[in-house]
Amino acid sequence: MRFFGLIIGILMILAQPVQASDGSLYIVATTGQVADIVKNVAKDTDHVRIEALMGTGVDPHLYRPTRSDIAKLSKADMVFYNGLHLEGQMVELLEKMGERKPVIPVTERLSEAELLGHDPHVWMDVKKWLMASDVVTLALEDFDPAYGSLYHKNAQFYKAELVALDDYVRTQIASIPADKRLLITAHDAFGYFGDAYGIEVVGLQGLSTESEAGLKVIEDTANLIASRKIPAVFSETSVSARNINALLAGAKARGAEVALGGTLYSDSMGSENTKEGAYVGMMVHNVTNIVNALGGEVVAFIFPPPTPEQLAAVIVK
């Protein structure tokens, strides 16, 4: 409480944020996934500067804002965050800031029926993340109407890419043999993914990485791997591999031929200026690892889809 009191005190002292004199916008997002939406909706202009607080490998469940973060949030014209208590250590701060400027949870349009309890990892279902992009687009159009037509045009293209991505993920996961469609990860970040794309999911830790995987969970999961002959399990970039390594050892002790299928991006994306540093690239990376390791057939994700003429040009006669 003393920590949050200090933050709120600093916010009260700092000057109230106003739009820059040149009319440009400074936008801060909490996570890379949220920042990626803003970058796509506001692309092709120098009018908007976007900054994400949390980089690759950062766990948003445990993240505490630094003084530098507080200064960035205070100077920002707009702030976008995931919501649903993903940024658990920042909730009070963000709500307090929302009294002074637009501070918007991108998941605000999702109804209770569309949510999986208190699970905040909605970006794992591409269609739900498409709804988050609508929240960002409408907020930008409302706050900055002079550039509204550009935001709208960019958003339409991005949404078309997400629709194609959603279909791609579904098709790729369906290529995994039905009895091998079991995704075992370090923590329970893939519930929406499993629900949307027809794959059973087991996370050793709970929804938040603050929880611990008990010995019984690891033993039960090792037995599951052995009985169903699941070929691979997966670590995550923002979660310790300790529990996954213990699971691998337990499964092999039971005679299971199981491997580490690769590392998945869950709560954070890849490094900036890499394919995995963008939402679409992150999802394609995850799907490629999952499908390859569990026995499916992977094809490349291409967007926009090739025209008939382009396809004809690459057909070997």
Side-chain angles (χ1 to χ4, degrees), residues 43-66:
K43 68 181 181 180
D44 300 327
T45 177
D46 295 328
H47 173 62
V48 180
R49 182 162 65 94
I50 304 155
E51 194 160 2
L53 295 183
M54 305 178 202
T56 186
V58 174
D59 183 348
H61 300 283
L62 305 178
Y63 187 80
R64 286 184 179 272
T66 64

Side-chain angles (χ1 to χ4, degrees), residues 30 34 81-87 94 104-107 120:
T30 53
V34 174
Y81 67 106
N82 186 85
L84 303 176
H85 291 276
L86 177 74
E87 303 92 343
L94 293 167
I104 302 159
V106 300
T107 56

